[in-house]
Amino acid sequence: MSTRLAISALIYMMVNAVVFGIGAVTVLSIPSLSENATVWLPTVVVASFILSAPLAWFIAPHMRSRAHKMTQ
């Protein structure tokens, strides 16, 4: 297993929680969408599972980088 895949697997659920939260708040805060929440919330769940994988794969190299160099 590559390091990028391992990091992606670790952060996948955190990314999924954030994506789902954004989608759920959007659905519940817009009145026209909240009327059909029984349709839109399962859609948000499925979309968050699908969208989280590429997002975690994109974020993984940034977790490894040493962007903050310590100065003396």
Side-chain angles (χ1 to χ4, degrees):
M1 179 185 298
S2 69
T3 306
R4 184 176 187 178
L5 183 60
I7 294 171
S8 296
L10 286 172
I11 65 172
Y12 172 79
M13 291 308 287
M14 290 179 276
V15 172
N16 186 18
V18 170
V19 172
F20 171 75
I22 292 170
V25 167
T26 302
V27 167
L28 295 174
S29 64
I30 298 174
S32 62
L33 294 178
S34 65
E35 291 173 0
N36 296 323
T38 57
V39 174
W40 285 108
L41 284 179
T43 305
V44 168
V45 170
V46 172
S48 69
F49 274 115
I50 293 170
L51 291 175
S52 296
L55 286 173
W57 185 256
F58 176 74
I59 293 171
H62 298 287
M63 299 294 288
R64 258 186 104 185
S65 69
R66 296 181 183 237
H68 302 288
K69 296 189 179 190
M70 300 186 79
T71 57
Q72 295 179 353

